Amino acid sequence: MDKKSAWDRFYSETSSRSPNFKNFEWFFGFDAVQDFITPLLQAASLSRHPVQVLDMGCGTSALGPSIYRDSALPVRVTCADISPVAVRLMREHIRANAVRPRNASSQIDFLELDCTRLDGHYGPSSLDLIVDKGTTDALLRSKEGAEKAASVLRQCLKVLRRSGSLLQFSDEDPDARLVWLEAAAQGQGLAAADVGVQEVGVLRGVCYYCYQVTAHHDVNK
């Protein structure tokens, strides 16, 4: 589940089933998690504008565009995915529908990016919020998944500003994910982050969680 070709095929097949574009949502849509995201945007906005947001592994989800559309605060949302097919579909959809942001200063763009090479694109301390809805879950299910996912987590901590946060939305039980997050975040021998969890809720019989990893230490040295 970490191969570009597999995701290109998935999004090509998904889009071909209907003549009209439809967002494909893993787990749930923006409405289910808005209350986790908005307070972090508000906190980040106290010190800078616009708030820099990355939707990591966006696919064709409406999550990133919804943050862009609904935020009362100025945000710059980058929706990034390994699949150029997903990126193209999202660009075309936004262009065709002329999505207008609540804040006229907000911006959105779409980027083809392999999240395992995140720090090759972003410099240290350049993002305020990274949203991950199922991307780490997909990595963990791939070959050498735990190692790749841990590398992505540490790269996220490098590119996040001090007190910036990574939100992982997942159906993995906290007994497993919290232990993994704490171990992976300290993989460089540093107490690099605070890790917490809140329950999103039960949807279609599955319980989902929001794992928040907050950078509080300079992990770039």
Side-chain angles (χ1 to χ4, degrees):
M1 298 182 75
D2 60 342
K3 301 297 183 185
K4 179 186 294 190
S5 58
W7 291 114
D8 281 346
R9 183 168 57 253
F10 174 83
Y11 289 114
S12 294
E13 292 175 354
T14 301
S15 65
S16 68
R17 294 171 189 164
S18 171
N20 300 315
F21 176 87
K22 184 177 180 181
N23 295 108
F24 184 90
E25 299 292 352
W26 296 100
F27 305 158
F28 38 67
F30 176 65
D31 289 348
V33 296
Q34 183 174 5
D35 290 344
F36 297 96
I37 294 171
T38 300
L40 297 178
L41 299 179
Q42 292 170 337
S45 73
L46 297 176
S47 57
R48 68 188 61 83
H49 292 288
V51 178
Q52 301 287 333
V53 181
L54 172 65
D55 182 0
M56 184 176 71
C58 63
T60 57
S61 168
L63 179 62
S66 295
I67 296 172
Y68 162 73
R69 182 194 65 205
D70 291 355
S71 176
L73 304 163
V75 293
R76 180 176 181 181
V77 180
T78 301
C79 300
D81 200 90
I82 194 174
S83 169
V85 173
V87 171
R88 175 181 56 80
L89 288 169
M90 290 299 287
R91 281 179 180 152
E92 292 174 352
H93 173 63
I94 294 297
R95 191 179 302 120
N97 288 273
V99 177
R100 296 187 179 278
R102 184 174 172 186
N103 188 298
S105 297
S106 291
Q107 304 169 57
I108 188 169
D109 55 19
F110 299 89
L111 174 69
E112 181 185 341
L113 178 66
D114 182 345
C115 67
T116 65
R117 299 173 182 172
L118 192 66
D119 60 1
H121 182 82
Y122 289 101
S125 302
S126 57
L127 296 172
D128 298 296
L129 175 64
I130 300 174
V131 182
D132 167 358
K133 184 157 71 82
T135 300
T136 292
D137 290 40
L139 281 176
L140 287 169
R141 289 167 172 79
S142 68
K143 186 178 180 180
E144 301 175 348
E147 181 179 338
K148 290 181 180 178
S151 174
V152 170
L153 174 61
R154 290 192 289 271
Q155 290 181 60
C156 286
L157 290 174
K158 286 183 181 180
V159 303
L160 280 168
R161 293 189 172 111
R162 186 178 180 87
S163 299
S165 289
L166 163 67
L167 294 184
Q168 289 185 355
F169 297 105
S170 173
D171 62 354
E172 185 171 28
D173 190 274
D175 287 345
R177 181 57 65 92
L178 284 176
V179 172
W180 177 81
L181 282 170
E182 289 169 354
Q186 296 179 24
Q188 295 171 309
L190 299 170
D194 291 322
V195 180
V197 62
Q198 298 180 70
E199 187 175 308
V200 175
V202 177
L203 301 169
R204 297 179 295 279
V206 178
C207 189
Y208 292 96
Y209 302 91
C210 172
Y211 296 94
Q212 181 174 345
V213 187
T214 302
H216 64 79
H217 186 77
D218 186 358
V219 297
N220 302 304
K221 295 180 179 179

